[in-house]
Amino acid sequence: MPTEATPLSAATGARRTPEVLTGSGAVLRTLEHLGITDVFGLPGGAIIPFYDELMASKTIRHILVRHEQGAGHAAEGYASASGRVGVAIATSGPGATNLVTAIADAYMDSVPFIAITGQVFSTLMGTDAFQEADIVGITMPITKHSFLVTDPAEIPATIAAAYQIATTGRPGPVLVDITKDAQQNSAPYVWPPKIDLPGYRPVTKAHGKQITAAAQLLAESSRPVLYVGGGVVRSGATAELLAFAEATGAPVVTTLMARGAFPDSHRQHLGMPGMHGTVPAVLGLQESDLIIALGARFDDRVTGKVDEFAPDAKVVHVDIDPAEISKIRFADVPIVGDAREVLVDLTDAWAGVPTDQRASTASWWSRLEQIRTDFPLGFAPPQDGLLAPQAIIARIGELTGPEAVYASGVGQHQMWSAQFIKYERPHAWLNSGGAGTMGYAVPAAMGAKVAEPDRVVWAIDGDGCFQMTNQELATCVINDIPIKVAIINNSSLGMVRQWQTLFYDGRHSFTDLETGHQSRRVPDFVKLADAYGALGIRVEKEDEVDAAIELALATNDRPVVIDFVVSRDSMVWPMVPQGVGNSSVQYAREHAPSWDAEDADLTGDPA
């Protein structure tokens, strides 16, 4: 945590009398000491004192959003693209509750995020005062911790503690709720403060015996797989992962949250596992005899029917959060520790295993290469004459390149973006993985562009998701944040429609949006972009795709919105329906189906 020592008197060497600041002044000074340079927020009555201080700051840039949920997702995008903590600010009551979705999203995806909210006067709390809500109670289940501050003297230590909690161990969101009187009243400002977090001692260094046991299991394995989750990205362990993978020669799969943690171009990479993962990745896990899980949590979207997941595999589970280990799948070797430190230790331990004591993986690789040959990632051209969304997303990736940042909404376009863009580096792929939050893409891309202004930033969105948070285009225009937005417009809630097609006899109940396939466009996205001051482009023909993307890449004085009108019949393949074992992965509907609607558990969320 950044610190700044309390100044000493040059004459006596004694500590100076602490400066007296208002609580709101203490908030600002603490954020500055912590190295915060960008915040996203929207003022209101209970947070006005802090905003009065913030306007005078010379080091912190405030981005005024159009909705507090946008502030939260922008803070997430900022953190996910840069590895630094994101900060969002809101007032009490509805301002604070509008942050809840983003807080829950950050909690599910382990995003370092501090939410600062105003609260009514402490004397009014519990009286149902105007714009009062118990935001600490509301967010307790979806934060690493939630603080309530009523004394201005406690502000430096509380915000410093929030920073420490958010950024250490398993990263996540922390909420600091500050009453209006605590912001207005004054107290001596002491920095650095004393931080007392009893019981909070994240373990980063793994036990040596567990490392040795893991290396021994790997030596005995003839069908190993490295199952890489988002924890590898959060810990900054991608270089260590590459070294370990190359030392062992084991195949690697990267989850939806770990895309870019291991280069797609590397021969050992099998792709993304899970419900819409590549067939080599899905069957690689399923047929393995050893899974080394690194910062992954055996999510239901990866395992399919848990009882049938990788039945012959032993498990080495590495995670900094002990609560995740053996939560879903029993770990034969549990390792609690930071992924980066553990990977260094595992690599060293593997080097100590004599070559003649390592099982051969030659036949395993032969099997995996055959699966690669038999089941390449691809798609069928639409039969309705409209554009193929997969081809458009692939061209965005090819024309933009791996140094860009790609933020997606949730649904079909999210899966296609994970599948058809090639990721070569961490922090290039941002999405709402655990919560599956529609509306994530545009504000997250905005936050990413603030954090990484020299990178091209794309928001790849669906027409449904885009309509939830597109007001942040105004924020982008006013604050000179030139993101690129690709709307994959199939005029429907595409993933839900896909499930309705497959499992509900094509009864498309309330999933048609009428944004471009009917005689009217509600709304007309090009006109909407123009109204916001962005460049709006519509693409309906294949020969227009490249020119539109190239124009977007060449336009950097304002945001760009491209309305790609695509086929609503395009589906995401491969697919393992919920409640079905991964061995039943279906490459495409017409390719040897091994499940039907009666097999699938349809109680889950298709998004």
Side-chain angles (χ1 to χ4, degrees):
M1 182 185 73
T3 60
E4 180 179 293
T6 302
L8 300 178
S9 166
T12 66
R15 291 188 179 273
R16 296 175 185 168
T17 301
E19 183 181 5
V20 175
L21 296 177
T22 62
S24 55
V27 174
L28 179 60
R29 186 72 59 85
T30 301
L31 292 176
E32 291 173 340
H33 281 161
L34 291 170
I36 304 301
T37 57
D38 304 279
V39 298
F40 304 86
L42 197 152
I47 198 72
I48 281 180
F50 172 67
Y51 269 89
D52 191 50
E53 294 281 351
L54 181 58
M55 69 182 299
S57 177
K58 293 181 172 57
T59 60
I60 295 179
R61 179 189 185 190
H62 178 269
I63 307 295
L64 176 63
V65 298
R66 295 308 183 262
H67 191 287
E68 291 92 351
Q69 183 179 348
H73 291 319
E76 285 189 276
Y78 183 97
S80 296
S82 66
R84 304 191 297 274
V85 68
V87 178
I89 303 167
T91 193
S92 62
T97 59
N98 280 344
L99 280 177
V100 168
T101 295
I103 292 171
D105 195 281
Y107 186 72
M108 289 288 282
D109 289 347
S110 305
V111 179
F113 169 27
I114 297 174
I116 298 175
T117 53
Q119 183 55 273
V120 300
F121 285 92
S122 58
T123 54
L124 295 177
M125 292 182 67
T127 68
D128 294 329
F130 178 67
Q131 291 192 334
E132 181 188 359
D134 179 11
I135 196 62
V136 168
I138 289 168
T139 60
M140 193 64 77
I142 55 170
T143 57
K144 287 189 72 176
H145 194 67
S146 294
F147 293 94
L148 172 65
V149 182
T150 59
D151 181 349
E154 297 176 356
I155 285 174
T158 302
I159 295 179
Y163 184 97
Q164 181 173 329
I165 294 170
T167 58
T168 58
R170 179 178 181 173
V174 180
L175 178 127
V176 181
D177 192 37
I178 310 173
T179 61
K180 191 169 183 178
D181 49 318
Q183 296 173 58
Q184 291 179 336
N185 295 337
S186 298
Y189 181 79
V190 177
W191 190 269
K194 180 181 179 182
I195 300 174
D196 185 19
L197 297 172
Y200 183 71
R201 300 290 184 271
V203 175
T204 59
K205 188 70 173 175
H207 195 288
K209 289 185 178 179
Q210 301 302 90
I211 296 292
T212 301
Q216 183 59 40
L217 278 186
L218 181 58
E220 297 168 359
S221 168
S222 58
R223 301 192 309 277
V225 173
L226 306 185
Y227 163 34
V228 177
V232 169
V233 176
R234 298 289 183 239
S235 68
T238 55
E240 290 76 11
L241 170 64
L242 181 63
F244 180 63
E246 291 185 337
T248 62
V252 178
V253 301
T254 53
T255 67
L256 182 68
M257 291 305 300
R259 302 291 290 114
F262 193 78
D264 278 355
S265 59
H266 199 286
R267 64 166 296 277
Q268 289 173 237
H269 192 226
L270 301 182
M272 180 178 71
M275 177 177 283
H276 295 296
T278 65
V279 176
V282 172
L283 293 184
L285 280 175
Q286 194 68 6
E287 299 177 15
S288 66
D289 65 4
L290 176 66
I291 294 173
I292 299 181
L294 301 163
R297 56 189 180 88
F298 292 88
D299 177 72
D300 63 286
R301 287 310 205 241
V302 169
T303 64
K305 191 173 183 179
V306 177
D307 292 345
E308 298 178 14
F309 176 68
D312 300 325
K314 292 183 177 180
V315 171
V316 174
H317 194 172
V318 178
D319 205 289
I320 200 164
D321 184 355
E324 290 295 345
I325 294 179
S326 293
K327 184 177 79 174
I328 306 296
R329 175 65 178 261
F330 173 76
D332 297 272
V333 178
I335 300 178
V336 178
D338 178 78
R340 181 164 55 181
E341 294 195 30
V342 171
L343 280 165
V344 170
D345 291 344
L346 282 173
T347 304
D348 290 343
W350 177 252
V353 177
T355 304
D356 61 359
Q357 294 181 20
R358 302 174 184 176
S360 172
T361 59
S363 61
W364 180 225
W365 270 111
S366 178
R367 164 65 175 156
L368 295 174
E369 293 293 0
Q370 188 60 54
I371 298 174
R372 271 178 169 165
T373 300
D374 292 344
F375 299 101
L377 186 64
F379 59 91
Q383 300 301 305
D384 55 12
L386 293 173
L387 297 174
Q390 303 95 325
I392 289 167
I393 291 170
R395 287 304 287 160
I396 290 173
E398 290 161 0
L399 293 174
T400 308
E403 293 303 314
V405 175
Y406 303 89
S408 85
V410 170
Q412 287 181 314
H413 62 280
Q414 176 189 25
M415 296 299 107
W416 289 321
S417 298
Q419 291 174 332
F420 289 98
I421 293 176
K422 302 305 178 186
Y423 299 99
E424 300 294 319
R425 64 175 192 88
H427 307 296
W429 164 244
L430 316 181
N431 81 122
S432 172
T437 304
M438 293 178 68
Y440 171 89
V442 169
M446 176 176 72
K449 186 66 175 176
V450 172
E452 299 286 307
D454 295 330
R455 294 190 188 276
V456 174
V457 178
W458 279 97
I460 301 176
D461 224 351
D463 50 313
C465 288
F466 179 71
Q467 292 184 79
M468 293 191 173
T469 52
N470 64 55
Q471 68 271 14
E472 299 309 335
L473 284 174
T475 309
C476 291
V477 169
I478 291 169
N479 291 279
D480 298 319
I481 307 170
I483 63 171
K484 328 292 183 186
V485 181
I487 304 173
I488 308 302
N489 182 2
N490 59 8
S491 196
S492 67
L493 300 173
M495 189 62 88
V496 181
R497 191 177 195 273
Q498 174 168 332
W499 279 47
Q500 290 171 336
T501 298
L502 294 175
F503 306 122
Y504 292 86
D505 297 325
R507 295 187 299 276
H508 298 136
S509 174
F510 301 103
T511 48
D512 292 333
L513 294 178
E514 297 190 34
T515 53
H517 288 257
Q518 308 299 324
S519 58
R520 57 182 179 170
R521 302 180 188 274
V522 184
D524 185 316
F525 291 131
V526 173
K527 291 181 179 178
L528 184 66
D530 182 65
Y532 276 126
L535 172 62
I537 306 168
R538 178 169 294 115
V539 175
E540 298 179 287
K541 298 178 181 178
E542 189 173 345
D543 60 8
E544 300 171 344
V545 172
D546 281 15
I549 297 170
E550 289 166 352
L551 177 57
L553 293 173
T555 303
N556 294 301
D557 61 341
R558 52 183 164 157
V560 180
V561 177
I562 309 178
D563 179 15
F564 289 105
V565 181
V566 304
S567 173
R568 63 171 49 180
D569 295 325
S570 294
M571 293 195 187
V572 182
W573 299 108
M575 183 176 182
V576 181
Q578 190 161 10
V580 172
N582 281 354
S583 295
S584 300
V585 59
Q586 191 166 314
Y587 181 58
R589 197 177 188 190
E590 63 273 17
H591 285 256
S594 55
W595 51 264
D596 56 34
E598 293 181 359
D599 296 324
D601 173 6
L602 304 180
T603 60
D605 184 349

